[in-house]
Amino acid sequence: MPVDKLLRMMKGEADRNGHFELATVYATPDGKTKEYVYRVPVEIATEKKGESSNWDKVIRHPGSSTTFAETNEINNLDVWNRNFAKIAEDLSKEF
């Protein structure tokens, strides 16, 4: 959905909270799997800000006035890498 359509749909909404999920599955050669899901809380801004693509212009961390498009990608690595950090933590316990 284009960001402009999202903003039109959300116009007048007081509750602009939401989330998206990052999911990963780790599989071993013997067929065992483990799913990892991290829910990322977000707020939908009332206007587009920043130069990035589509939804990043209106999605921000709760309580922040800065959208994902306005921040340096490196500042958000903790969000994007959370599942992989959990996999590494679990693997370190096994080996």
Side-chain angles (χ1 to χ4, degrees):
M1 170 187 320
V3 71
D4 291 322
K5 184 174 182 177
L6 174 65
L7 288 175
R8 282 193 303 276
M9 289 174 59
M10 296 287 299
K11 189 173 183 166
E13 293 291 331
D15 183 1
R16 302 186 75 84
N17 295 305
H19 71 273
F20 60 90
E21 291 182 343
L22 302 173
T24 304
V25 175
Y26 176 77
T28 61
D30 63 358
K32 294 178 185 173
T33 61
K34 183 167 181 182
E35 296 178 16
Y36 297 83
V37 178
Y38 175 60
R39 183 177 275 199
V40 181
V42 296
E43 291 179 351
I44 308 296
T46 57
E47 62 184 357
K48 295 186 287 186
K49 293 182 183 178
E51 300 299 320
S52 189
S53 62
N54 212 12
W55 285 34
D56 281 356
K57 293 178 183 179
V58 296
I59 294 176
R60 61 187 180 209
H61 294 289
S64 176
S65 61
T66 307
T67 66
F68 285 6
E70 296 175 286
T71 59
N72 183 320
E73 288 182 10
I74 291 173
N75 293 338
N76 290 322
L77 281 179
D78 64 319
V79 171
W80 311 125
N81 291 331
R82 186 83 41 108
N83 276 348
F84 299 110
K86 182 63 177 152
I87 292 171
E89 179 184 319
D90 287 352
L91 288 175
S92 70
K93 292 175 186 174
E94 288 185 34
F95 297 103

